[in-house]
Structure formats: C-alpha cells, structure tokens
Amino acid sequence: MRFTSILVANRGEIAVRVMRTAKALGYRTIAVYSEADAEAPHVAMADEAVCIGPAPVAQSYLDPQKILDAAARTGAGAIHPGYGFLSENSGFARACEAAGLTFIGPRPDAVDIMGNKAEAKRRMISAGVPCVPGYEGEDQADDTFIKAASEIGFPVMVKAAAGGGGRGMRLVDDAGDLPEAIRLARSEAENAFGSGELILEKAIMRPRHVEVQVFADEAGNTIHLGERDCSVQRRHQKVIEEAPCPVMTDELRAKMGAAAVDAAKAISYRGAGTVEFLLGADGEFYFLEMNTRLQVEHPVTEMITGIDLVNEQIRIAAGGSLDMTQDDITFDGHAIECRINAEDPQTFAPSPGTITYYHPPGGLGVRVDSGVYQGYKIPPYYDSLIGKLIVHGRNRVECMMRLRRCLDEFVVDEIKSTIPLFRNLVENQDIANGQYDIHWLEQYLANKK
Ligand code: MV4
C-alpha cells in the first residue's frame, strides 16, 4: 500500500495529466513509451522513462509483461493505468498486486463483475438500482429470448453481455427480426469477446447519456461527485461533455447520485468509478453500465467541484480514506469539454503528422490537457485524441461564451483537427440551449452533408 513512486502505464494527454498530480504530491514519476513515442511529452516530463517496445500497442502499451518488467527495473511502487489500454484488465490488476505493486484502481473482482452486463445488471437489480426492463438470465435458448422480448415489448436491444461502449449491440423493431438478430449478435459476440452470452433490454428512445462520478475508499465510504452529460457523441465516441447536465434538477441529482452510490456499494467498489445511466425524455433514468476507471471527461467534474480526482485515486490506493463526506461536495458553475482529435473535421479520418504551429488558449476558467507541443509529430499508431479543451464559467451561458472565445484562439496548424467542428457546434441553437440527446450529433452531421 505504501509507495513513493508511480509508473504511468499510458501515453498522451492522460499520462501527462496523471503525472502532474503525482509530481505535485511528491511522487517519483516513471513513464513508459513505445519506440514511436520517444519524443512524446509524457516521456520528457517523467523523472524516469523506460522504452517498452515497438509502436504497435500489442507489443508495448497493451502488453502486461512489458509494463511489469518496466516497473521491476525502475523499482516502481504503484501503477496508474490511465484510461484504455490496461485500465480495465482485471488480470493485469491481479498481476500488479502479485508482483507487490499497488494498482491505482478498483479491486479486480469489481472490474470483472461490471465487465459482464448480465452479472452487473443482476447485482444492480438486487441493490435496487433502476435498470432498463429486460432479460439477463443464464438460459440462452432462442425461445427464452423470444418469449422475454414479447413480455418486454418492442423495440428491444440485443446486447453482448461481454460488450460495452456500444460494441455488440443491435436494435430490433419487431418480433419477426428477432431470431436473426440473436443469431448475428451471438456470433459477433463470440468472435469479438470470446463469449456469445446475450442480454435483452427494452430500447429507450432518444435518451440522454448521463453518468455519475463516484468515489469509494477501502473502508467502504462512498460518495458521488455529480453528473456529466455525454450525449453529444458520434459512433459511441464522445465529442462534447459537460457538467452539470443541462436538464438536471437538484431532486433528480439526489436520486441519480444515490443510485450511483448504491451501485458502487453493491460491489464493494473502491476508488474512482463512473455509473452510466440513460435519462429518458420523461425524466426516468436507468443504469447502463459502470466504468471502472478514470474517464477522459473527468476534468469537467474537477472544474465544478474543485476536487483533483487523480489526487483522490492516489490517496485511496495508498490506503487513505476519503477526506470528505457527501455534504462537503458542492457544485460551482458550469464546465464544458471539447475533445480535440487529430482528425478531418468533416470525415473524421485520422490526420497524424507534424504540428507546425501550436497556440493553446488560456485565461480565467480555461484548462487545456494535451499531449502535444509545437514541432511534435503525431504518430499514426494510436487513437487520435491529442488534447482536451475544458472551459469553466459561473453559469452555462458564461461557459459557452468563453468556450467560443477559446476555440477562436486555439491554433493547431498543418494537421487537421476537430476544432472547426466545435466552432460550428458552439454557434448551434440546440447546443446553446442544451437541447440534445444521444442521436443529436449524428443527425446534425447527416443534415449538413
Ligand atoms: C441502450 C440504448 C437504448 N436502450 N440501451 C450504447 C453504448 C452502451 N453504453 C449502451 N448504449 C445504448 N444502450 C437501451 N436499452 C441506446 C444506447 C446508445 C447510446 C448510449 C449512450 C450514448 C450514446 C449512444 C448511442 C447510441 C445508442
């Protein structure tokens, strides 16, 4: 539990972000990097850096043994996995603990429970967390699904139990299409996840994606840090996130927050987690899944609560207790995050290459978490997120006005980026009014073409 150094098993903006807090707390920081990342900022800022192999992730950032070897070589005491890569790999978390390394994250068993939608939903139903009506039984016979669907009522969603983030999911409008959908979903799930296990759910039409940040310490003290609205997304990739959710009320937050805390407590959760809900147009909300990691969009929560989530993660991993209760958590103003991707803003095709000129915005209420600099060559091997612009204001209007100014100021030259898309989005009336759902962006993009 006690450690004085932290190896960050990640790259890009999140490696930089985690090291910032680790350094501020006085920990020795250790970076790992692939052969393609020797010039990356996370390498330069670390106290020590270890090359872990060739550019492809399977031979570097995704290889548990490469990370464990680097930790052994540098005498690391703890590992922060960031997001993606090994962050939700329970086998890796167990291997860390077996090697005497503190994994800065949840207990591996909690990761496994939430990694299976059927198991997760059964636990949530037992704990009284509102779930979408559906079927999540062990009996996987076609007839069982067909009977369940007729009771649930169409349209239904067929989901892979081992899937997540929209992978292995199918919408079925009527009973006639169900047998074929089950067959296809099952074989896709077997190929993608090595398990054909399925669940059924009533399809919620035009909901918002609202997720609640939770924190729990080893002793079981569990609190929530409010919600983020992440409905503005394309092909399950979030594009804009904001806190608070534009349609949130104090009563609804109290209910969703309590449900999220119940969800975490039901699995004896530890550390930072996010409980995802669908929020229907009628104000009903339903548990979807729980992410057992620090998320890309965590800064909007930090901006409105003033709490450094990585600091809390580290403190809890070191065996410390939460130094706040639910009543200490207050929400100040509004924060919006734009994900800056090295992509063509029209086609979303990746656009790696050299940044010839870089000028990030600054000023009051402005935060840029990035993993690039002027002269940096973005390698083609990794995801296209190069940074995040996070803007805070005393209210949503001030936040939006400040965001528009920041987007005007932001220059990332001679690669294509999603900044021009955000310049258009901040001028849109639906975005200005917070009137959007999970399908809004895809419709907006379709109508513009
Ligand atoms: C749903 C749904 C409607 N009804 N489940 C997509 C990602 C995964 N986390 C769950 N997803 C959905 N599950 C029921 N019962 C609609 C989606 C969904 C979605 C959810 C969140 C954010 C964006 C989305 C885009 C399309 C579909």
Side-chain angles (χ1 to χ4, degrees), residues 44-176:
M45 81 181 286
D47 295 306
E48 239 179 291
V50 183
C51 182
I52 52 169
V57 291
Q59 294 167 70
S60 51
Y61 299 104
L62 255 186
D63 182 345
Q65 200 53 53
K66 294 279 179 67
I67 306 297
L68 294 169
D69 289 347
R73 265 217 274 158
T74 54
I79 296 190
H80 194 301
Y83 53 69
F85 294 138
L86 298 167
S87 61
E88 293 181 283
N89 181 323
S90 61
F92 176 67
R94 287 192 184 93
C96 287
E97 301 295 337
L101 293 156
T102 298
F103 178 76
I104 304 176
R107 263 182 286 275
D109 291 356
V111 177
D112 286 334
I113 292 167
M114 287 304 176
N116 181 294
K117 285 187 190 304
E119 167 88 4
K121 257 188 103 171
R122 291 193 292 261
R123 299 250 188 178
M124 294 305 114
I125 292 164
S126 302
V129 177
C131 290
V132 189
Y135 173 78
E136 52 284 319
E138 280 174 7
D139 178 0
Q140 295 283 301
D142 287 19
D143 286 351
T144 306
F145 285 119
I146 291 163
K147 191 159 157 283
S150 77
E151 281 161 22
I152 296 161
F154 287 86
V156 297
M157 302 282 277
V158 181
K159 297 184 177 185
R167 300 195 315 145
M169 210 176 72
R170 285 198 128 71
L171 178 65
V172 183
D173 283 314
D174 59 73

Side-chain angles (χ1 to χ4, degrees), residues 240-276:
I240 294 177
E241 304 99 345
E242 62 178 308
C245 164
V247 301
M248 190 52 59
T249 62
D250 288 346
E251 302 94 280
L252 182 58
R253 178 177 299 115
K255 277 198 229 166
M256 287 183 88
V261 166
D262 288 344
K265 283 188 166 166
I267 59 165
S268 304
Y269 197 77
R270 173 191 76 193
T274 299
V275 184
E276 288 186 11

